[in-house]
Amino acid sequence: MTAANLPENPGFSVLGDSISTLNGYIPEGWRCHYEGEVSIEGISTPADTWWGKVMNAFGGHLVGNASFSGSCMEGFGFPGGCSKERAAGLLGPNGETPDCVLVFMGINDYGWGGARQQVMGGSMSRSANREDLGEPYEVLETVDAASLQRFHDAYAQALTNIHEIAPSAEIWCLTLCPGTTDSMPWPHFMYRERGIDLDEYNDAIRSAATEAGAHVADVRSFNIDYHSVDDTHPSALGMTQIATMVCSQMGLEADLSVLDSAPASARHCDKETCGGCQYNGNKPSGWVLTCGKKPE
């Protein structure tokens, strides 16, 4: 692990999905989850978000938040995280470049199984129209390994785009971490939603970051489930837990006691795919990451 090497009052930018959105702090017209589509108690200002807490811990300021709710890293153009438009959103209003870029994307790629799947599922954050991609017009419950390679390549392209607009910025890539809710008294995250394990996506993130000379804020290595409202979107407590893990990974002394209330990650199923499982309440054209199976 490498400690962040940032100047005084560093400028931060964020490339993210719904987890990193906040009303009034992303480009106008981009889809917003927090205080945009959904109001969640205790999350209304940057200081309440995971990225705002990290920024404040370093005594920094926000340059740009290029987050778009529902977006995959892979895409056929905007709003895909690998698009040039998303990278441009990292710049400040007057063209200021960030000293540090925090990248937290991939959960939509995991949930959908890829950008084509998202398009065929009719997501409001799709990067193309179904007709543009041709038949078959279907959403698969289980995808093949090629989708994981496309995610890796898209992630690598996004990092290339960041280097082009902010060549001196430190880039920190967050791995994907399971969430939990109070709805069940045991860990219930769904680890193989469309047949590819969450941690295979994390391996792709680590690989793409290493190849690009970026840093990894490996929140998954803490092996906990952060508190969320739906196993994906952090609650106010979950935001603090994520920020604490990120700050620790970036080399700051962080009070890890906030993680004490987080359950240890655990799997209760060894099926090769969650697609079509009786405990998976999802339809192919949508997803949540809650497994309904009770531990034996």
Side-chain angles (χ1 to χ4, degrees):
M1 182 177 64
T2 303
N5 183 23
L6 301 176
E8 185 177 353
N9 186 26
F12 280 80
S13 290
V14 186
L15 179 63
D17 47 39
S18 58
I19 293 172
S20 303
T21 59
L22 187 67
N23 194 35
Y25 292 91
I26 60 175
E28 185 176 356
W30 289 22
R31 285 192 67 198
C32 180
H33 182 81
Y34 287 92
E35 295 290 333
E37 299 167 340
V38 178
S39 178
I40 296 176
E41 184 177 359
I43 303 176
S44 60
T45 72
D48 304 321
T49 67
W50 74 267
W51 50 268
K53 292 176 185 296
V54 173
M55 180 179 71
N56 290 341
F58 281 91
H61 65 278
L62 182 65
V63 175
N65 187 336
S67 297
F68 193 108
S69 181
S71 60
C72 290
M73 182 63 89
E74 183 192 3
F76 302 96
F78 183 81
C82 63
S83 65
K84 297 286 188 180
E85 294 92 334
R86 292 294 297 279
L90 300 170
L91 298 175
N94 298 314
E96 178 188 357
T97 58
D99 300 299
C100 182
V101 178
L102 303 171
V103 182
F104 193 13
M105 291 193 69
I107 199 65
N108 290 298
D109 300 80
Y110 168 70
W112 281 109
R116 181 183 177 89
Q117 294 266 104
Q118 187 184 41
V119 171
M120 295 305 161
S123 167
M124 293 177 66
S125 300
R126 62 189 181 274
S127 56
N129 297 314
R130 297 176 76 203
E131 299 75 18
D132 297 335
L133 304 185
E135 297 184 8
Y137 298 143
E138 62 181 351
V139 182
L140 303 174
E141 289 184 331
T142 301
V143 297
D144 60 25
S147 65
L148 186 64
Q149 183 63 49
R150 289 193 297 270
F151 171 70
H152 170 278
D153 294 347
Y155 207 107
Q157 181 60 57
L159 298 182
T160 295
N161 295 344
I162 296 170
H163 279 304
E164 288 179 353
I165 67 154
S168 61
E170 280 196 13
I171 305 174
W172 286 83
C173 304
L174 280 66
T175 49
L176 307 177
C177 183
T180 192
T181 67
D182 298 327
S183 62
M184 302 178 194
W186 54 78
H188 45 269
F189 188 83
M190 197 177 296
Y191 281 93
R192 297 184 67 84
E193 164 59 1
R194 296 188 191 267
I196 298 180
D197 197 280
L198 177 78
D199 285 324
E200 293 184 77
Y201 280 86
N202 281 330
D203 286 341
I205 291 171
R206 296 181 187 105
S207 174
T210 299
E211 292 164 7
H215 305 285
V216 178
D218 198 350
V219 295
R220 178 68 175 120
S221 67
F222 287 82
N223 197 39
I224 63 159
D225 295 358
Y226 64 82
H227 193 263
S228 73
V229 296
D230 56 6
D231 295 310
T232 302
H233 297 97
S235 64
L237 172 59
M239 290 289 190
T240 300
Q241 291 169 333
I242 292 172
T244 298
M245 292 187 285
V246 173
C247 286
S248 176
Q249 286 284 297
M250 293 180 71
L252 289 183
E253 289 189 13
D255 181 3
L256 301 181
S257 63
V258 72
L259 306 182
D260 292 343
S261 61
S265 299
R267 300 170 183 247
H268 303 299
C269 182
D270 58 2
K271 287 187 177 181
E272 292 186 358
T273 180
C274 301
C277 177
Q278 62 177 314
Y279 299 108
N280 183 349
N282 297 330
K283 297 179 180 179
S285 58
W287 56 273
V288 293
L289 298 178
T290 304
C291 174
K293 183 180 180 181
K294 183 177 180 179
E296 298 178 357

